[in-house]
Amino acid sequence: MKIVIIGCGRVGAVLAEAFDTAGHEVVIIDLSTRAFERLSSEFRGQAVRGDGTDEDVLRRAGAVGADAFLALTEGDNRNVMAAQIAMEKLDVGRAMAKVNDPVRAAAYAELGIATICRTTMLSDAIQTFVGLRGSGMPSVIDAVAHHHQPAATGAAGTAGGAGTAGGKA
C-alpha cells in the first residue's frame, strides 16, 4: 500500500515508521527539514521537504494514485486543503484531514473529506478516565460525499457516502 503523510510531527512520524515497518511504501512531506529528525535511521520511506498544499510538490513526491493520504499538520485549514487536493486532483484512494474543531470536522466530512478530531478523542478519553460519559460524538468521521465521483442524477440514484465511523481512533 502506498501512503502519503503530510506533517512530520509526532503523530506523522510515528505513523510513517509504523507503516514503513509493516512493509508499506511511505512518503512523508513537511515544510521543515528538521522535522525529519523524528524519523529513525531505519526509516526506508521517502522524506520530502515541501508544502503539502502545493499540487506540484505532491505530484513530484509521487502522491498521485496513493492508496491513503493523511494530512496531519497543526493547521486545520492546511490539512483540509491538502486532503481536498489529494481527492480532487491526485486520485488517491482515501484521504483524511486532522481537524481540531469538532464542528468543523463534521462539516468537512459532509463536504467529502474524512476527518479525525483530536479534541473529541482526548475529551472523551479523559471524561471516561474520570468516570464520566463521553460526548458520544465520533472522533473519526468518514467522508459523506466523495469529490472525485460525480453525483448520480435522476430517479435512479442519489449521491451518497459511507457515513460515520463512531468512536474509532
Side-chain angles (χ1 to χ4, degrees):
M1 180 184 305
K2 183 173 191 174
I3 303 166
V4 176
I5 300 170
I6 308 302
C8 192
R10 288 179 185 95
V11 174
V14 166
L15 287 172
E17 294 275 359
F19 295 142
D20 179 57
T21 299
H24 300 290
E25 181 182 351
V26 180
V27 176
I28 188 159
I29 301 170
D30 200 288
L31 286 168
S32 169
T33 304
R34 191 160 195 198
F36 300 125
E37 293 174 6
R38 291 185 177 96
L39 299 170
S40 73
S41 58
E42 289 83 34
F43 180 69
R44 296 177 313 268
Q46 182 182 2
V48 177
R49 186 188 170 285
D51 184 346
T53 64
D54 183 325
E55 184 180 343
D56 291 334
V57 168
L58 295 172
R59 287 183 182 281
R60 282 194 303 272
V64 174
D67 299 293
F69 184 97
L70 308 172
L72 304 173
T73 75
E74 287 303 312
D76 288 5
N77 293 336
R78 177 179 298 274
N79 291 339
V80 169
M81 183 182 289
Q84 187 173 18
I85 291 168
M87 293 298 292
E88 291 182 0
K89 306 281 187 172
L90 305 178
D91 196 34
V92 301
R94 301 198 70 188
M96 174 181 275
K98 181 180 80 166
V99 178
N100 291 312
D101 180 341
V103 174
R104 288 173 63 194
Y108 288 130
E110 288 291 327
L111 295 173
I113 299 166
T115 59
I116 183 164
C117 183
R118 176 174 57 190
T119 304
T120 302
M121 189 182 311
L122 286 171
S123 174
D124 284 351
I126 291 168
Q127 287 179 67
T128 301
F129 173 77
V130 299
L132 301 174
R133 187 179 185 141
S135 69
M137 292 177 56
S139 55
V140 175
I141 307 174
D142 204 356
V144 175
H146 298 285
H147 287 289
H148 63 286
Q149 296 175 342
T153 58
T158 59
T164 61
K168 294 182 183 171

